[in-house]
Amino acid sequence: MIEANGLHKRFGAVHAVRGASFTIEKGQAVGLLGPNGAGKTTTIRMLVGSLPPDSGTVRIDGLDTLGRSLDARRRIGYLPESTPLYPEMTVAGLLRHRAMLFGVARRDRRAAIDRAIDRCALRGMRARRVGTLSKGYRQRVGLAAAILHNPPAILLDEPTNGLDPTQITEMRRLMRDLAAEHALVISSHILGEIEKTCDRVIVLASGVVRADAPVGDLARATGAATRCVLEAALSDADRAAGFIAALRDIPAVTGVQTEDLGGGWRRVSVSAEPGARGLAEVVGSIALNRGVSLRRLADETPTLERVFLGLVARAEPAP
């Protein structure tokens, strides 16, 4: 549904996006994640056709956004970070205006407007002027305008920016509903937002796609090691040596490090290959079988935050 191939964009000396390529299908909710200045908004603007790439191509539902710009844009719903609305219009009036711009047939406009208003929980705001609405309701109006023409591809740039916790929860529900029927792209620098609403993440840093994988598989895809940490009573040298040797013999374990904490206690860090599962359970079982007392056992399986920070830290600055 959305195909980006080798996108590059420069602004003077700044190479904002460098060779971004990915494909997004209908029914996928994909998070475009990166720190501020990573190239997320520039990428989104190239996808929706409002900014031409210096090189590379974008296709929406098979249509080139440059060669068949109008046809491609009719298949896109776009909510930019700063929602562009006319404050003097009523909610219904603004949606009628957008319906005409997107070529919704006159006979279908009322049904399309009603559907968007219901989906975005705006029925009580239909006759209100946009300028009198709260930030949360203005975001809903912007989203209603983006989905009014039932586009197959929907792109949202920082959709929860500035919303309160209740409004964020409601916006997440709307986004999850949309993901079931559309190709949905959500650009954000907020890790929790992507984790709660998306099933796949594309990480951008310094204008380069650093990772592209399902949220649950990102650690494996990026080579982030699995680790568990324990604090064990290992004052007996023979017992300590046997315990450490048993940990090193666990399949997929790549390293065991120890640190003396005093009083007969040691901190032991066990690292394993990316994607290894159940490491803490195996370590705990070995300790139990060998009579080793533990006062702490923590699974440090890589989180989205750890993986993301690692990717960003390794990113080279754009020339």
Side-chain angles (χ1 to χ4, degrees):
M1 187 56 65
I2 301 173
E3 300 174 65
N5 184 27
L7 297 181
H8 285 264
K9 189 64 185 179
R10 285 184 178 271
F11 299 98
V14 178
H15 201 164
V17 178
R18 299 187 286 166
S21 297
F22 48 84
T23 300
I24 300 168
E25 302 294 344
K26 181 179 178 180
Q28 289 186 332
V30 177
L32 189 60
L33 180 64
N36 290 327
K40 302 186 304 297
T41 295
T42 299
T43 299
I44 289 284
R45 290 173 63 194
M46 287 190 286
L47 294 179
V48 301
S50 65
L51 184 69
D54 294 336
S55 62
T57 59
V58 175
R59 293 184 179 275
I60 304 295
D61 200 13
L63 302 174
D64 188 284
T65 54
L66 295 180
R68 298 184 62 183
S69 178
L70 290 179
D71 289 334
R73 291 187 194 198
R74 288 191 182 100
R75 289 164 169 79
I76 297 170
Y78 175 40
L79 179 65
E81 183 176 0
S82 300
T83 311
L85 302 172
Y86 297 103
E88 70 279 4
M89 284 186 169
T90 65
V91 170
L94 185 142
L95 294 179
R96 280 195 297 271
H97 175 65
R98 287 294 293 266
M100 288 187 289
L101 289 178
F102 276 97
V104 178
R106 184 185 295 273
R107 65 180 180 276
D108 298 328
R109 286 176 194 164
R110 179 59 183 254
I113 291 168
D114 288 346
R115 183 171 59 249
I117 283 177
D118 285 343
R119 196 161 199 182
C120 297
L122 288 167
R123 186 161 291 279
M125 304 292 151
R126 190 181 193 112
R128 289 274 300 273
R129 294 191 183 277
V130 172
T132 68
L133 300 178
S134 68
K135 168 79 171 178
Y137 273 110
R138 290 199 299 274
Q139 283 288 86
R140 292 191 200 187
V141 173
L143 184 57
I147 67 174
L148 181 66
H149 54 302
N150 196 30
I154 298 175
L155 299 98
L156 312 177
D157 193 1
E158 303 286 358
T160 61
N161 189 31
L163 302 186
D164 65 36
T166 300
Q167 294 166 340
I168 289 173
T169 299
E170 182 61 23
M171 183 62 76
R172 285 176 184 157
R173 183 191 65 78
L174 290 172
M175 290 189 291
R176 285 193 294 268
D177 288 346
L178 290 171
E181 302 174 10
H182 306 266
L184 179 65
V185 181
I186 302 168
S187 170
S188 181
H189 64 279
I190 303 173
L191 295 165
E193 202 58 55
I194 298 300
E195 208 162 12
K196 288 180 173 66
T197 55
C198 299
D199 44 41
R200 175 181 155 206
V201 61
I202 297 171
V203 179
L204 270 179
S206 299
V208 177
V209 174
R210 301 290 174 178
D212 182 352
V215 173
D217 294 340
L218 190 63
R220 183 194 298 272
T222 56
T226 300
R227 192 166 74 110
C228 78
V229 177
L230 58 145
E231 293 179 4
L234 295 172
S235 56
D236 182 275
D238 290 339
R239 176 174 292 182
F243 179 58
I244 299 302
L247 295 180
R248 291 196 170 108
D249 286 339
I250 298 173
V253 163
T254 57
V256 178
Q257 295 181 322
T258 66
E259 177 187 354
D260 188 7
L261 299 176
W265 292 92
R266 292 192 195 180
R267 178 181 290 113
V268 183
S269 298
V270 184
S271 300
E273 296 172 355
R277 300 184 183 278
L279 180 62
E281 289 83 351
V282 175
V283 169
S285 177
I286 291 174
L288 180 64
N289 291 336
R290 290 180 170 269
V292 174
S293 297
L294 302 180
R295 67 181 183 186
R296 178 174 180 254
L297 175 60
D299 183 4
E300 296 191 358
T301 299
T303 62
L304 179 59
E305 180 178 12
R306 275 180 57 195
V307 174
F308 171 72
L309 291 175
L311 289 168
V312 171
R314 294 201 301 266
E316 299 175 3

